Amino acid sequence: MNSSPRYERAMRTLEYDKILAMLADCALTSGAKEMALALRPDNDPDHIRKNQKETTEAKEMQAIKGMPSFGMIKDIREIAERAGKGATLSPRDLLDVANVLRTA
């Protein structure tokens, strides 16, 4: 990734922020919205091939299994972090984790 003035100017000219905002509007979860807004062009061929392979696999899986239901899914990163530190999780936390696992 590049952060030169020329790169930044190109990103503004292409209105990249507006493109990311439109993509984020399509995301169904807060985590997906954050990921969409954080996307940046990549120039690492290995990383690009890996991402293209993952995209192809996801598209094939969707064709076979249909679109997964992401409705009502919550971001459980904070819950997972607390659990990793040995904290006791509330019944609500456990239900949220169960919902994510069921959806996955």
Side-chain angles (χ1 to χ4, degrees), residues 10-47:
M11 298 296 280
R12 279 192 306 275
T13 301
L14 294 171
E15 297 184 329
Y16 192 70
D17 59 327
K18 291 180 183 178
I19 295 167
L20 292 182
M22 289 190 304
L23 177 62
D25 285 343
C26 296
L28 299 176
T29 66
S30 61
K33 287 180 190 299
E34 289 175 23
M35 290 173 67
L37 293 171
L39 285 172
R40 296 296 177 264
D42 198 341
N43 61 358
D44 178 349
D46 292 331
H47 192 238

Side-chain angles (χ1 to χ4, degrees), residues 12-81:
R12 279 192 306 275
T13 301
L14 294 171
E15 297 184 329
Y16 192 70
D17 59 327
K18 291 180 183 178
I19 295 167
L20 292 182
M22 289 190 304
L23 177 62
D25 285 343
C26 296
L28 299 176
T29 66
S30 61
K33 287 180 190 299
E34 289 175 23
M35 290 173 67
L37 293 171
L39 285 172
R40 296 296 177 264
D42 198 341
N43 61 358
D44 178 349
D46 292 331
H47 192 238
I48 292 167
R49 275 190 287 278
K50 177 184 168 281
N51 286 342
Q52 287 177 327
K53 183 175 185 263
E54 288 177 0
T55 300
T56 299
E57 290 171 355
K59 184 178 176 187
E60 290 169 354
M61 181 70 76
Q62 181 181 345
I64 293 168
K65 301 247 182 199
M67 182 67 168
S69 171
F70 292 112
M72 305 308 291
I73 196 168
K74 291 182 75 175
D75 184 352
I76 62 165
R77 289 179 288 189
E78 184 181 309
I79 296 170
E81 186 177 322

